[in-house]
Structures are given as C-alpha cells and as structure tokens.
Amino acid sequence: MNSALLLLYLLLLTGAPQQEKKAATSAAQSQNCNHVPHIALVPMGFSDAAMLNLLQSEITNFYQARVTITATVEMPAAAWYAPRNRYRADTIIAILARSKQYAAYDKVIAITGKDISTTKGQYPDWGILGLGFCPGKSCVVSTRRLKKSATGTRHLQERTVKVALHELGHTFGIPHCANSSKCLMRDAGGTVKSVDAEEKYLCPKCRGMLE
C-alpha cells in the first residue's frame, strides 16, 4: 500500500469513532429535548377529588407534562412542628425528594390542607402557601391560607393552581421573577393578594428557562 493510500486509510479509521460519537451525542440531545417530564401529584391527607383533577389537568397543559395522581399519604410525622401546630414544608419536600416511592418520577408535588411553614430571614417559622426546591425534584402546596378571603370554590381553585404551577416552576430551576408584575414566578411574599394579581403566564425570560 503506497503512502497516500495508507494515510487515507488511517484518516477514515480514526474518523469513524468520532462520527459515531457525534451521532450518539446528537441522538441523546434530541431524546432529552423530547423528554416529557413525569410528575407525581401526591395528596397528603387531602381528599378533594375535584381539586386534584383540576391540578392534574392544569399542570399537564402548562408544563407539557405527564401527571399521575398517586395514592393518598399521611402528613409525615417528622415534619410536625408542635410549637405552632403546623408542618415544616422544608422537611416535607426533603422527604419527598429522597423517597424511593417516587424515584421513578421526574418531579413530585404534594398538596395538603394543613398549615405549613419554613424559616424566612429572621423568622424561624413563617407560615407559607407553598415551597419548592430551586432547582430540585419536589415541592408542596397548602390550601390552608389560600382559603382566607376566597370568594368561593372557583376562586380557591384558581389560587391553588397558580401556587402549584409557581412551586413546580422552582423545581425546574426558575427563580422568583422581577421582570413582570403578572408573571407566575413573581414572589407572592406570602400574601394571597399577590397570588390573585398574578396570571397563569410566564414572562419570556422565565419561559426561556424551560427550553
């Protein structure tokens, strides 16, 4: 074999693995882009079937996800905060994130009617509407404070859906938004009035974080 043919042969031999590697990388990226997140909707001592079905539908449409309503579970005893008669949200989402029961899911959102709280600044136990890791796997929403001043069932449902979509947004890596007063990821500051002012809408910057 002359030197020119030998050089061509070596180039083809070394180039093939590189082409295969690029093809495999491209296929993996394409598969990742087409991945539909599977979300577990976990009722924690929660039995409002209408609310659960609405959340399943709204989350499915908003995040283009597959949502499964799982079996009802009790509030975790480890999250109970006796001094204030409520549950620590940070403990709840930590338990959900490491639970083997939800290992097959991409995200987990718990819904409860119990009061929940977390540490906020100088306040060791601050009552909240919901909490989610950012980014992370799990979040929790409570209807307890959302019921206050709600004009009826529909109003409560609208509030709950917004908070659920907001907390799931955090798990997808979207922080609080300062770009739009209407963006769903705006910091509600723990008040239901702020929730009412938000829309089921992500501003372009926040929407871009999902792509």
Side-chain angles (χ1 to χ4, degrees), residues 5 23 34 49-50 67 114 119 153 161 167:
L5 288 175
N34 294 327
V67 182
K114 303 294 185 180
T119 298
T153 300
V161 166
E167 299 306 338

Side-chain angles (χ1 to χ4, degrees), residues 73-168:
V73 297
E74 297 301 317
M75 295 292 288
W80 176 243
Y81 187 67
R84 302 295 295 276
N85 293 320
R86 53 195 184 194
Y87 292 85
R88 295 285 298 184
D90 41 7
T91 302
I92 293 172
I93 59 177
I95 290 173
L96 291 172
R98 63 173 180 259
S99 173
K100 293 181 179 179
Q101 185 175 355
Y102 309 112
Y105 297 94
D106 297 298
K107 306 292 180 185
V108 187
I109 177 170
I111 176 74
T112 181
K114 303 294 185 180
D115 200 15
I116 59 175
S117 62
T118 191
T119 298
K120 182 177 180 180
Q122 62 180 329
Y123 301 99
D125 189 69
W126 180 267
I128 55 175
L129 310 175
L131 186 70
F133 284 138
C134 183
K137 179 170 182 173
S138 58
C139 59
V140 60
V141 173
S142 169
T143 59
R144 173 73 167 70
R145 294 170 184 272
L146 294 171
K147 289 180 179 178
K148 294 181 178 179
S149 72
T151 58
T153 300
R154 189 182 184 90
H155 191 190
L156 173 61
Q157 289 176 337
E158 290 175 352
R159 285 176 169 178
T160 306
V161 166
K162 288 180 184 179
V163 176
L165 297 177
H166 175 103
E167 299 306 338
L168 275 171

Side-chain angles (χ1 to χ4, degrees), residues 18 37 68 70 72 76 98 107 134 138 158 166 176 182 192:
Q18 292 297 323
T68 299
T70 68
T72 302
R98 63 173 180 259
K107 306 292 180 185
C134 183
S138 58
E158 290 175 352
H166 175 103
H176 281 143
K182 298 297 183 181
V192 291

